[in-house]
Amino acid sequence: MPGAVPEGESVPLDGALPPEATARVGSAGFGVYVHVPFCASRCGYCDFNTYTAAELGGGVTRESYADSVLAEMALAGRVLAGNPPPRVDTVFVGGGTPTLLPTDDLARILDGIDRLWGLADDVEVTTEANPESVTPASLKALRAAGYTRISLGMQSAAAGVLAVLDRRHSAGRAVAAAGEARDAGFDHVNLDLIYGTPGETAEDFAASLEQVVAAGVDHVSAYALIVEEGTRLAARMRRGELPYPSDDVAADRYLAAEAALSAAGFSWYEVSNWARTPAARCRHNLLYWAGGDWWGFGPGAHSHVGGVRWWNVKHPSAYAQRLAQGHSPGQGRELLTAAETHMEDVMLRLRLAEGLPLAVLDPAGAAGARRALEQGLLDEAGYRAGRAVLTLRGRLLADAVVRDLLP
């Protein structure tokens, strides 16, 4: 979960948590996130906490990375020794490109989680992957190791769009990799799309949607391009080499995605995510959105247990060095206030198809919900049932609706 590091209190060297945070750990579900910070090259739009070989410097290698993660797991086991979670419901290995690690190391990491806290019988285990970083053999090995779900970064089926984004795979490779993952026995396969890239036409995006549907996957994520400061793409736009993304174009692309995916049997369950069946929904992300507990391993990873949120040092070398010294890699943490928890609950749950209970809103928020209903941004049937559920137009203006519910 990369991003800007917020201000917060320091983390004890042993990573200890307040007793009130661990008293009911996992009562609303428990997940594990593992961040793998390695990439073969840096995409022009990416500001995630990732590093190419040239950017790593000394002190860490891909070959030693799994050992560092296992060392952090041992520390986590000590921190939660008195109140371990009842089980691990979901595991998500993200990055970066996790599949740049040897398959045996990805298997060791999953086995380490199982030995630490125990995997639920129906555990969902996801790994992200770039299409060019997997083969039929590696996919079969991952499935045999216990990975049940894979999320492939397709972004687009148009070669020109992939070039603007600095993606390395060919236009057809993501669809081919999705087929290989299905053949390898993965229960669930996701393809990620990015829309609104400069130069992308409506026909380009329609072709991407057609290929996603034809690939036979059961989950699709589609996100509008966000231009992050400090990226190569942002620099190109400042120089006038590329135009900035258009909000109107992004709205048109979203409507096209909803139309094509719903016609193909997908249903939205979060503003940017569609699944063929309820079983195909990403349970790990649902854990985040519902305010559950999770422990994040790896440089820059964020965690949340019992209202305490903390984050690790970002650079892999600093991360490995702290663990080698027997210290927590945590850089800072914060205890969420009731107001902050409420704000995040509204922001996240409103984006879900099931919506937000109106009862959690204060009087000003309830008035905002009535205004959103009158403006056609909330579903009338959902409102009568006591929930704030976004309409299709509301999904396009979700951030504005949130602001109205959090005056």
Side-chain angles (χ1 to χ4, degrees):
M1 302 179 68
V5 176
E7 295 296 327
E9 66 179 36
S10 61
V11 177
L13 290 179
D14 62 358
L17 292 169
E20 58 271 24
T22 60
R24 298 177 63 246
V25 62
S27 58
F30 190 84
V32 169
Y33 174 76
V34 180
H35 186 68
V36 178
F38 308 115
C39 278
S41 63
R42 181 171 292 279
C43 298
Y45 62 92
C46 180
D47 75 334
F48 289 178
N49 187 40
T50 61
Y51 304 82
T52 64
E55 295 168 335
L56 276 174
V60 67
T61 65
R62 290 185 200 170
E63 291 74 21
S64 64
Y65 185 70
D67 291 329
S68 293
V69 172
L70 292 171
E72 188 182 2
M73 287 182 191
L75 182 145
R78 293 191 293 272
V79 171
L80 295 183
N83 293 283
R87 69 198 167 278
V88 175
D89 300 297
T90 64
V91 177
F92 196 105
V93 184
T97 309
T99 41
L100 286 179
L101 290 183
T103 303
D104 287 348
D105 281 352
L106 291 172
R108 280 205 299 144
I109 288 171
L110 184 58
D111 181 66
I113 298 168
D114 191 19
R115 291 173 181 272
L116 177 63
W117 289 318
L119 300 175
D121 291 341
D122 63 343
V123 65
E124 173 194 88
V125 184
T126 302
T127 183
E128 293 181 330
N130 280 337
E132 74 279 7
S133 69
V134 293
T135 65
S138 70
L139 289 165
K140 288 177 182 176
L142 283 170
R143 183 66 190 93
Y147 286 78
T148 66
R149 185 176 181 275
I150 190 165
S151 180
L152 294 157
M154 176 177 174
Q155 319 314 2
S156 176
V161 174
L162 293 175
V164 171
L165 296 174
D166 293 319
R167 298 292 289 178
R168 300 183 70 187
H169 60 86
S170 64
R173 176 56 197 153
V175 170
E180 292 164 4
R182 287 170 42 234
D183 291 343
F186 276 85
D187 297 339
H188 304 293
V189 181
N190 171 64
L191 284 172
D192 273 344
L193 292 175
I194 290 177
Y195 55 84
T197 301
E200 177 193 65
T201 65
E203 292 75 19
D204 288 335
F205 190 58
S208 296
L209 291 167
E210 288 174 8
Q211 290 198 23
V212 164
V213 170
V217 299
D218 63 356
H219 191 285
V220 179
S221 300
Y223 303 98
L225 176 67
I226 297 175
V227 181
E228 302 285 1
E229 285 302 316
T231 62
R232 194 157 56 244
L233 189 61
R236 294 185 67 187
M237 290 178 179
R238 281 198 306 273
R239 292 195 297 266
E241 297 175 14
L242 294 170
Y244 284 89
S246 160
D247 290 342
D248 290 340
V249 168
D252 288 342
R253 298 287 189 271
Y254 186 87
L255 294 174
E258 169 62 22
L261 294 173
S262 61
F266 290 82
S267 298
W268 79 283
Y269 70 99
E270 192 273 343
V271 168
S272 299
N273 291 273
W274 291 258
R276 285 193 185 273
T277 65
R281 297 171 182 173
C282 180
R283 288 165 47 203
H284 187 81
N285 284 340
L286 285 167
L287 181 80
Y288 292 153
W289 298 326
D293 292 328
W294 74 91
W295 197 294
F297 296 102
H302 283 55
S303 303
H304 173 268
V305 171
V308 177
R309 180 164 52 206
W310 70 96
W311 49 94
N312 286 347
V313 292
K314 295 185 72 172
H315 199 280
S317 293
Y319 169 79
Q321 183 178 20
R322 289 202 184 188
L323 287 164
Q325 295 169 345
H327 298 160
S328 166
Q331 182 175 32
R333 73 181 185 187
E334 58 188 354
L335 176 63
L336 298 176
T337 66
E340 289 169 335
T341 299
H342 172 72
M343 178 185 69
E344 294 190 2
D345 191 49
V346 171
M347 290 175 61
L348 296 173
R349 289 191 180 228
L350 185 68
R351 294 178 62 87
L352 299 175
E354 65 184 30
L356 175 77
L358 292 169
V360 307
L361 299 174
D362 60 20
R370 288 193 293 274
R371 287 193 299 273
L373 177 69
E374 293 165 359
Q375 296 165 359
L377 304 178
L378 293 181
D379 177 72
E380 289 188 13
Y383 190 87
R384 287 196 299 271
R387 304 190 73 83
V389 177
L390 293 171
T391 61
L392 178 55
R393 181 165 175 263
R395 281 187 264 162
L396 294 173
L397 299 170
D399 290 345
V401 179
V402 167
R403 287 194 294 272
D404 227 12
L405 302 189
L406 293 169

